[in-house]
Structure formats: structure tokens, C-alpha cells
Amino acid sequence: MSRTYHRLYRTRLCRGTYRDKERPILVNNWEATYFDFDADKIEAIAKEAGPLGIELFVLDDGWFGKRDNDDNSLGDWFEDRRKLPGGLADLAKRVNEQGLQFGLWVEPEMVSPDSELYRNHPDWCLHAEGRRRTEGRSQLVLDLSRKEVCDYLYETLSSVFSIAPITYVKWDMNRNMTEIASATAPSERQKETAHRYMLGLYDLLERLTSQFPDILFESCSGGGGRFDPGMLYYMPQTWTSDDTDAIERLAIQYGTSIVYPASTMGAHVSNVPNHQVGRITSLAIRGDVAMSGNFGYELDLTAFTNEEKELAAKQIAQYKEIRSLVQQGDMYRLLSPFEGRGDTAWMFVSEDQSEAFVAYFRVLAEPNGPIRRLTLKGLDPDKKYIIEHGATGNTAVHTGNTLVEDDGSPFRVAFDGEIFGGDRLMRIGLVVSDLTGDFASSTFRLKAVSC
């Protein structure tokens, strides 16, 4: 069922330039800087990103109005020249000179009560006349059931997207809808407001995506709150969750994959201790988890050590090798994070079954634990496959009685380079043994060979 949905959504529901294209590897500055940045800081991160092989820089919240925190300026979509003296055009040029494309964050459906837009049009938000207007994150929801509101957003955003060579837009929506009523609808039609809101949004997106067909739009709603087929029609990927912790993401990405393909999931490597849960995990497992979606980084690359830069470069190079496989291959779930001790595994197989990418995640270490066997799926039982280890990982995987020991170097897959039948890999599988410590991972590839 999952693979039927994946194929349907990936090849028929999603549309546009990026439907079948490989998605770029990006770095987003949100968890690196939050609102505290200027053009020089953004350029410094971009300078570190280029040599690692990152392809796109995304400027997140804080570039517009007087946006030094999340209490104001939503709706005022004009450049903050205090932070960006040369505006978006100058910043995009500086990013492009580092070999990266330039992307931008917006949250067009919202308005801050402390904004020029709200002061000029206080009736443009969803509200019931004479009743309190409930704020969430110091913001209200614009009434997109009204044509004049949608026209304003279209004209404003069209101007913004034309300022610079923008190739990616992250379209956020960070609160739920309350007081779902429209100032212009008669009382007997107020119950239609939510539906008419979505029709207005779809019309706005139709106009924008038609005018800017070369922009990759990513939907976002507090992390997955609007992960639905309707939005995928206009935006072929969604930010899977604001929860960027690698261990939390195992359940998030596994659960999302029940219906949605990996090509629709944004997945980033963030900083540690994780900003949401405070957990510390290795850069290796954070990369391995994020590689099972549209891969990117969301941290301050200027703070990386030389060792972290080297590992990140390996992760990026590995992802570029498997990108088409992850984004267009058939996904098979092998171990569920919702069962047992949380161990998780999944794999991606090419349509012709000639290659596969396997990821295994060990959550908690266990002394003298039982032998764990990872049975693969989706391979051709009549084909022979060679095993190639991933660039990173901290788990040993083996197919016989000999384990690979930890010698302090990057972990390996035993029998790396040896060949096994697809029938054996799917019936007998691989024995997986964690080494030491919690939060360990391993990735490896299988390629069909002629014997």
C-alpha cells in the first residue's frame, strides 16, 4: 500500500519542474542564527557550505520588516536594510559567488498585530466580529477566503521572488486556525470560510507556481501540520517536522513514510545538544537519518571543526551517490521504531532492483543482547549483490560469524566487497551487532553484479 501511494504521489500528484528532478542539498540558517544575523554572517556560512558540496543556501525567518523576534512584522514583506544593507539581491549575489543557489523563507498566510499590514487592514484576518482574536506565536491568520487578501499576497510575493535569483521557497504556517469567520461573508455562509480559505490558498499557489516554475516550493506547517496531498500538488516536498533530533526523527520519518514518499520529506542535520529535546547524538547518525529524505543541514557551519567538516563532506558525497535512489526508489520498512527498544531500519530499492541503500539505527545499547538479524526486502531473488559500506556509521553489520571490531576508525561492513544472492539476503538476512554506546547507525549499499 505504501509503495502504491509513494508512486502515485511522486509521479502523478506532484508536478512541475522538480517532480522528477533530484532535490538540492541545502543549508538553512535558522538554528544557526535564529533572528540574529547580518549579510556578513550569512555569507560566512555560505563560504563554508560551498567546499563541502552543499548546493543551496536558504535564508530563514528574520530578513523582512523589523523582524528581530517573532512578535512582529509578519505581513510586511519588504527587506530589512538594517540587516541586509544591499537587500536580497546583494545577499543572493554573495551566496551565488560561493557556488550556491539562493532560497528564502516566507510565512505569507500570517499577520502580526504589530505590523504595518495589520494596522492598515485589521479586518483582513480571520475573526468573528465582537469576539476576542486568539493569537498564536503573536500572530493571526489572514483571511484567504477574500480575493483582495489573496491579490495582495500575490502581488507582494511576486515582487519579492523577482528581486533576486531565488530557486527555493520555504512556505511556512506556524499556527492553527481559530475564529474561522470572514468579515465579508454573510452569516449564513460563515461555515464555508475554512473551505473557501483553502480554495483561495490553492488559487494563490496556482498563480505563483505558474509564474515561477523554476522555484522549488517546500510546504511547512509547524513541522508536518499541513502534510497533505492537496499541498503536494503545488509543493512537491514538505518540512517533515521542526523536531530535528535524529532519534525523534526515526519515528517521524518512519510514520510519515506509511503514505508519503521520501522525496516529499525535508530532513536536516541540526546542532547538538538538540534545540528541541536537548539530546546529544553523533554527527554520523544525524547524517544517516537525514539522508533518508531531502538532505540538508540546519546549523552553523562556521563552528564546525576540521573533523566535522571532513565527515560532512563525506556525508554529502555519499548522499549525491544515493540521492536518486532515495528520492525515486521504492522504500521498504524493515524495523519499526514503535516496537521493542526502538531499533529502526529501512531501505530503498531501484525500480529495476539493480541497487539498494540500507540504513540501520540502533537506539539503546544493551549488554549481551540477542542476535539481531536484518532481513532485507524488495531485491531480486535471482540476482547477486555486492555489499558496499557507507561513508559513515557506528554499527557493525555482518553476514557470517565474524564481527567487525571497533578500532577507532570509521566503522565498516564485514564482507565489504563480497557477493551474496538476493534470496539469501531476503531469507537469511544480515546479523546486526551494535558496538558501544547509544544512538548508533550504519548504512550500506547493494549493487547487482554478474557472476
Side-chain angles (χ1 to χ4, degrees):
M1 181 201 74
S2 289
R3 285 181 291 282
T4 298
Y5 268 114
H6 293 177
R7 200 169 294 112
L8 173 68
Y9 285 3
R10 189 178 67 245
T11 66
R12 292 293 179 265
L13 178 64
C14 296
R15 61 173 187 161
T17 303
Y18 284 90
R19 188 191 73 178
D20 302 318
K21 288 180 65 174
E22 293 183 349
R23 311 291 167 76
I25 300 170
L26 64 83
V27 59
N28 181 300
N29 70 295
W30 177 239
E31 290 193 18
T33 66
Y34 294 104
F35 299 101
D36 185 17
F37 64 84
D38 57 22
D40 291 340
K41 177 61 178 179
I42 297 304
E43 184 179 16
I45 296 175
K47 281 184 178 179
E48 296 294 335
L52 298 179
I54 292 173
E55 300 158 328
L56 166 69
F57 184 95
V58 179
L59 179 64
D60 212 279
D61 197 354
W63 59 268
F64 56 92
K66 300 177 181 178
R67 187 77 164 170
D68 295 325
N69 54 57
D70 60 7
D71 292 338
N72 63 80
S73 295
L74 287 174
D76 298 342
W77 300 109
F78 50 85
E79 303 146 303
D80 183 350
R81 293 290 178 141
R82 299 171 305 150
K83 296 179 182 178
L84 308 175
L88 291 175
D90 173 70
L91 183 63
K93 179 176 181 292
R94 294 164 72 170
V95 169
N96 292 159
E97 287 173 350
Q98 306 306 319
L100 280 73
Q101 302 172 53
F102 182 72
L104 195 65
W105 177 97
V106 292
E107 192 173 6
E109 298 166 69
M110 300 297 151
V111 62
S112 302
D114 183 7
S115 68
E116 292 184 17
L117 179 64
Y118 188 78
R119 285 186 283 272
N120 293 331
H121 300 283
D123 66 324
W124 274 16
C125 67
L126 293 175
H127 69 282
E129 194 63 36
R131 299 191 181 185
R132 178 173 63 93
R133 302 183 183 191
T134 304
E135 295 181 20
R137 298 183 75 226
S138 302
Q139 60 196 54
L140 299 166
V141 184
L142 288 173
D143 182 2
L144 268 63
S145 72
R146 297 172 60 173
K147 185 178 186 302
E148 64 269 32
V149 176
C150 292
D151 287 345
Y152 164 80
L153 289 176
Y154 172 71
E155 293 164 5
T156 303
L157 294 173
S158 294
S159 297
V160 171
F161 298 161
S162 301
I163 290 174
I166 295 170
T167 62
Y168 169 102
V169 167
K170 180 178 180 181
W171 183 293
D172 214 340
M173 181 189 181
N174 275 312
R175 61 152 293 178
N176 60 309
M177 298 166 69
T178 55
E179 292 87 48
I180 308 177
S182 176
T184 58
S187 58
E188 67 272 13
R189 307 196 71 172
Q190 289 293 345
K191 290 183 179 181
E192 302 173 7
T193 301
H195 179 66
R196 292 186 178 279
Y197 178 104
M198 291 308 301
L199 294 180
L201 174 61
Y202 288 162
D203 179 69
L204 174 61
L205 293 176
E206 182 72 40
R207 295 158 73 184
L208 287 171
T209 55
S210 297
Q211 182 178 352
F212 299 97
D214 295 324
I215 290 180
L216 170 58
F217 285 87
E218 177 178 277
S219 173
C220 176
S221 179
R226 191 192 262 166
F227 208 137
D228 66 85
M231 292 302 286
L232 285 182
Y233 180 74
Y234 299 102
M235 305 182 181
Q237 63 187 58
T238 298
W239 176 231
T240 319
S241 178
D242 283 341
D243 185 348
T244 57
D245 173 67
I247 305 308
E248 291 279 294
R249 276 296 186 115
L250 295 176
I252 291 169
Q253 292 173 207
Y254 184 101
T256 303
S257 76
I258 300 295
V259 173
Y260 298 97
S263 63
T264 65
M265 298 186 211
H268 297 172
V269 176
S270 63
N271 208 353
V272 292
N274 177 263
H275 291 186
Q276 287 77 39
V277 301
R279 183 180 287 119
I280 296 176
T281 55
S282 70
L283 181 58
I285 191 170
R286 280 178 277 154
D288 286 347
V289 173
M291 274 193 250
S292 297
N294 295 318
F295 187 52
Y297 292 82
E298 192 157 329
L299 39 68
D300 189 353
L301 296 176
T302 66
F304 263 14
T305 65
N306 288 334
E307 291 76 14
E308 288 172 327
K309 291 179 183 178
E310 182 179 352
L311 180 52
K314 289 181 179 179
Q315 290 174 337
I316 292 165
Q318 180 184 357
Y319 186 74
K320 287 179 178 178
E321 291 181 2
I322 63 169
R323 175 162 43 186
S324 61
L325 185 57
V326 170
Q327 295 177 2
Q328 280 99 38
D330 288 330
M331 183 180 184
Y332 292 82
R333 294 179 296 275
L334 307 180
L335 293 176
S336 171
F338 301 104
E339 301 174 3
R341 298 172 62 86
D343 286 11
T344 306
W346 48 57
M347 63 186 290
F348 300 89
V349 183
S350 63
E351 186 175 354
D352 63 1
Q353 300 174 297
S354 64
E355 61 175 323
F357 171 70
V358 184
Y360 167 78
F361 306 96
R362 176 79 167 130
V363 175
L364 296 176
E366 182 181 9
N368 301 315
I371 294 175
R372 289 176 172 83
R373 192 175 293 277
L374 189 63
T375 304
L376 306 187
K377 298 179 181 178
L379 303 176
D380 186 335
D382 298 322
K383 280 186 168 69
K384 302 291 185 181
Y385 293 89
I386 187 170
I387 297 179
E388 298 179 354
H389 66 81
T392 64
N394 43 9
T395 302
V397 179
H398 65 99
T399 54
N401 297 319
T402 303
L403 293 174
V404 174
E405 299 297 334
D406 178 15
D407 59 2
S409 62
F411 297 97
R412 307 178 299 273
V413 176
F415 296 100
D416 182 34
E418 292 201 22
I419 297 169
F420 300 90
D423 53 351
R424 171 176 172 167
L425 293 171
M426 291 191 292
R427 292 178 180 272
I428 300 175
L430 307 172
V431 173
V432 183
S433 173
D434 70 332
L435 297 171
T436 57
D438 300 333
F439 317 136
S441 64
S442 178
T443 66
F444 56 95
R445 298 176 68 185
L446 303 174
K447 289 186 178 181
V449 293
S450 299
C451 296

